[in-house]
């Protein structure tokens, strides 16, 4: 990543943070001074009296300094415009920021926002598309000296294509962009593409489903070349972790005295809130307040037809009797959600028993290096 891009992006985030904190502090002061009832609707507007002027002055000064710093950095860009080595630490930090606030980075034109790209080295006829999860970089598929995609490429001759994207955007937004990228990739590939396979990890499985559904509706060519898709620890019906975060945020809004702190919970990205129920299409989130507490309102999006689908789930439980009972499963995703099962039969994804794997005593990240997972991938995915 270029030094100028990093410095400018970090500076903009700092000024955004000052604005956000000022808004929270003013809200706390306003609500305390106006002494509303302990429960109910919080007051709105500026803080009364001199406090309102002080907070408005802070915002104006912050805006002026922001403009000055941004202008100054623009003038010295040519002196800073050099490529800095991408360490794993820097990749992890930028990817984490994109997962947490990637929609904000994109909306504010922050240079730290990740642009989607498809990374590959070779150009064989059989493509293996690897789609990473929330707050990750495509290099994170290499986990503790193992990479499922690279190992499959060596064993079966696949060409790995690593998707890298801003995981803080809506899943459906990334799905549409991935579909368009793949259509261009197939059109411009140096030789005819014979087959396509997917391994989508965590959120990446939902992005894969979204891309397949979007491409089919647009008449893209690449879905016709797609043979198989593996969903590795993907929360098809949402994650209890995000649902818990939504409850936590709603609890802050009960009292006017704590309501301003709800803004902290509203920092989380569109990608994160999509994981509450497993949104994969625009209609799943459009016309809804994504921070409001509500039941699952998704329209069922079935798996793409004429493609063989597989699901892998993990569980921290040791006992076979407890594997499906542990609410958080692998620590983030419940097994039933990862396997595509739903209490309403018509919403289940219908993945056949022979195309499923439930891995005991294994956490979410450790599925990326588990030998049993790789053995199943090696058995399931066939060349041609």
């Amino acid at each position: 990543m270029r030094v100028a891009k990093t410095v400018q992006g970090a500076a903009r985030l700092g000024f955004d943070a000052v604005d956000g904190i000022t808004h929270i502090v003013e809200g706390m002061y306003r609500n305390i001074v106006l002494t509303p009832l302990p429960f109910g609707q919080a007051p709105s507007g500026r803080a009364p009296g001199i406090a309102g002027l002080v907070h408005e002055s802070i915002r104006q000064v912050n805006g002026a300094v922001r403009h000055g710093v941004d202008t100054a950095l623009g003038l010295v860009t040519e002196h800073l415009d050099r490529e800095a080595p991408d360490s794993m630490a820097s990749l992890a930090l930028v990817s984490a920021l994109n997962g947490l606030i990637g929609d904000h980075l994109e909306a504010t034109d922050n240079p730290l926002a990740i642009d989607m790209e498809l990374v590959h080295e070779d150009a064989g006829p059989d493509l293996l598309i690897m789609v990473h999860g929330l707050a990750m970089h495509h290099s994170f598929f290499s986990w503790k000296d193992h990479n499922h995609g690279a190992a499959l490429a060596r064993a079966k001759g696949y060409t790995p294509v690593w998707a890298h994207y801003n995981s803080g955007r809506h899943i459906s937004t990334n799905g549409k962009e991935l579909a368009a990228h793949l259509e261009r990739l197939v059109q411009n590939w140096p030789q005819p593409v014979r087959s396509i396979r997917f391994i989508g990890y965590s959120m990446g499985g939902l992005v894969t489903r979204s891309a397949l559904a979007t491409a089919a509706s647009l008449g893209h060519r690449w879905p016709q070349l797609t043979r198989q898709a593996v969903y590795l620890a993907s929360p098809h019906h949402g994650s209890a972790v995000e649902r818990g975060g939504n409850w936590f945020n709603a609890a802050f809004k009960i009292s006017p005295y704590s309501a301003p702190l709800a803004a902290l919970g509203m920092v989380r990205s569109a990608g994160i809130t999509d994981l509450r129920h497993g949104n994969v299409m625009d209609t799943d989130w459009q016309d809804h307040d994504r921070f409001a507490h509500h039941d699952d309102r998704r329209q069922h999006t079935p798996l793409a037809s004429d493609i063989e689908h597989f699901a892998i789930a993990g569980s921290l439980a040791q006992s076979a009797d407890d594997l499906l009972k542990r609410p958080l499963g692998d620590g983030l995703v419940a097994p039933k959600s990862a396997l595509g099962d739903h209490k309403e039969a018509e919403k289940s994804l219908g993945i056949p028993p022979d195309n499923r794997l439930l891995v005991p005593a294994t956490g979410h990240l450790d599925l990326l290096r588990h030998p049993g997972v790789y053995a199943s991938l090696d058995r399931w995915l066939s060349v041609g």
Side-chain angles (χ1 to χ4, degrees), residues 41-229:
Q41 186 69 34
S44 59
R46 289 173 51 178
I50 190 67
L53 294 175
V54 169
H55 288 95
E56 182 59 27
S57 297
I58 292 173
R59 279 188 283 267
Q60 290 182 4
V61 170
N62 189 54
V65 175
R66 176 203 294 264
H67 178 73
V69 169
D70 214 40
T71 301
L73 286 174
L75 294 174
V76 301
T77 292
E78 61 182 281
H79 302 291
L80 294 175
D81 197 20
R82 58 183 176 83
E83 195 75 20
D86 284 332
S87 66
M88 284 301 296
S90 65
L91 290 174
L93 177 59
V94 173
S95 299
L97 279 173
N98 275 261
L100 180 64
I101 55 171
D103 53 343
H104 172 78
L105 295 177
E106 182 181 52
T108 57
D109 198 27
N110 191 298
L112 294 177
I114 293 172
D115 294 324
M116 182 177 286
E117 61 177 332
L118 300 180
V119 181
H120 62 90
E121 295 180 359
D122 302 321
D126 299 300
L127 310 186
L128 179 62
I129 314 297
M130 306 288 293
V131 190
H132 65 71
L134 175 71
M136 297 180 76
H137 183 271
H138 65 83
S139 63
F140 283 40
F141 273 109
S142 295
W143 185 249
K144 296 185 178 179
D145 300 320
H146 176 76
N147 186 308
H148 290 321
L152 287 167
R154 290 191 298 269
K156 297 178 178 291
Y158 295 139
T159 295
V161 178
W162 313 93
H164 181 38
Y165 65 99
N166 176 349
S167 59
R169 302 197 305 170
H170 278 294
I171 288 169
S172 59
T173 302
N174 281 319
K176 285 184 285 190
E177 190 166 357
L178 178 59
H181 271 67
L182 287 170
E183 188 72 355
R184 289 192 294 270
L185 185 80
V186 168
Q187 291 172 356
N188 299 321
W189 202 246
Q191 63 173 300
V193 174
R194 180 169 58 190
S195 66
I196 296 175
R197 287 162 185 80
F198 285 90
I199 296 179
Y201 173 67
S202 197
M203 176 189 280
L206 303 187
V207 173
T208 298
R209 285 180 54 205
S210 180
L212 284 164
T214 298
S217 69
L218 295 175
H220 286 179
R221 176 173 173 248
W222 65 263
Q224 302 169 28
L225 302 171
T226 302
R227 303 287 181 263
Q228 297 164 314

Side-chain angles (χ1 to χ4, degrees), residues 87-383:
S87 66
M88 284 301 296
S90 65
L91 290 174
L93 177 59
V94 173
S95 299
L97 279 173
N98 275 261
L100 180 64
I101 55 171
D103 53 343
H104 172 78
L105 295 177
E106 182 181 52
T108 57
D109 198 27
N110 191 298
L112 294 177
I114 293 172
D115 294 324
M116 182 177 286
E117 61 177 332
L118 300 180
V119 181
H120 62 90
E121 295 180 359
D122 302 321
D126 299 300
L127 310 186
L128 179 62
I129 314 297
M130 306 288 293
V131 190
H132 65 71
L134 175 71
M136 297 180 76
H137 183 271
H138 65 83
S139 63
F140 283 40
F141 273 109
S142 295
W143 185 249
K144 296 185 178 179
D145 300 320
H146 176 76
N147 186 308
H148 290 321
L152 287 167
R154 290 191 298 269
K156 297 178 178 291
Y158 295 139
T159 295
V161 178
W162 313 93
H164 181 38
Y165 65 99
N166 176 349
S167 59
R169 302 197 305 170
H170 278 294
I171 288 169
S172 59
T173 302
N174 281 319
K176 285 184 285 190
E177 190 166 357
L178 178 59
H181 271 67
L182 287 170
E183 188 72 355
R184 289 192 294 270
L185 185 80
V186 168
Q187 291 172 356
N188 299 321
W189 202 246
Q191 63 173 300
V193 174
R194 180 169 58 190
S195 66
I196 296 175
R197 287 162 185 80
F198 285 90
I199 296 179
Y201 173 67
S202 197
M203 176 189 280
L206 303 187
V207 173
T208 298
R209 285 180 54 205
S210 180
L212 284 164
T214 298
S217 69
L218 295 175
H220 286 179
R221 176 173 173 248
W222 65 263
Q224 302 169 28
L225 302 171
T226 302
R227 303 287 181 263
Q228 297 164 314
V230 179
Y231 308 105
L232 177 54
S234 295
H236 295 290
H237 299 301
S239 169
V241 175
E242 163 53 22
R243 287 195 287 273
N246 182 243
W247 275 107
F248 186 75
N249 196 57
F252 269 126
K253 296 180 180 179
I254 291 176
S255 171
Y257 296 99
S258 61
L261 294 175
L264 296 174
M266 293 170 68
V267 168
R268 66 194 194 279
S269 69
I272 292 176
T273 55
D274 277 343
L275 293 177
R276 188 181 317 150
H277 297 299
N279 298 341
V280 295
M281 304 302 291
D282 288 348
T283 52
D284 293 338
W285 56 266
Q286 285 177 335
D287 302 323
H288 304 314
D289 177 358
R290 64 188 182 91
F291 294 111
H293 181 72
H294 56 73
D295 295 330
D296 185 0
R297 298 174 178 174
R298 294 174 301 156
Q299 295 181 8
H300 177 55
T301 301
L303 295 178
S305 60
D306 301 323
I307 295 173
E308 195 173 14
H309 300 273
F310 304 86
I312 299 176
S315 177
L316 295 172
Q318 303 285 337
S319 167
D321 294 335
D322 294 333
L323 287 180
L324 292 173
K325 299 177 183 178
R326 190 179 180 92
L328 293 184
D330 62 13
L332 291 177
V333 181
K336 289 185 178 181
S337 181
L339 296 174
D341 294 334
H342 196 280
K343 61 183 179 181
E344 300 175 32
E346 64 273 15
K347 293 183 179 179
S348 292
L349 297 184
I351 297 176
D354 289 344
N355 290 16
R356 300 173 174 218
L357 175 67
L358 179 54
V359 186
T362 304
H364 195 69
L365 284 171
D366 284 332
L367 289 167
L368 289 172
R369 68 179 181 94
H370 195 282
V373 170
Y374 178 74
S376 292
L377 294 173
D378 183 63
R379 185 176 69 257
W380 287 338
L381 300 183
S382 57
V383 179

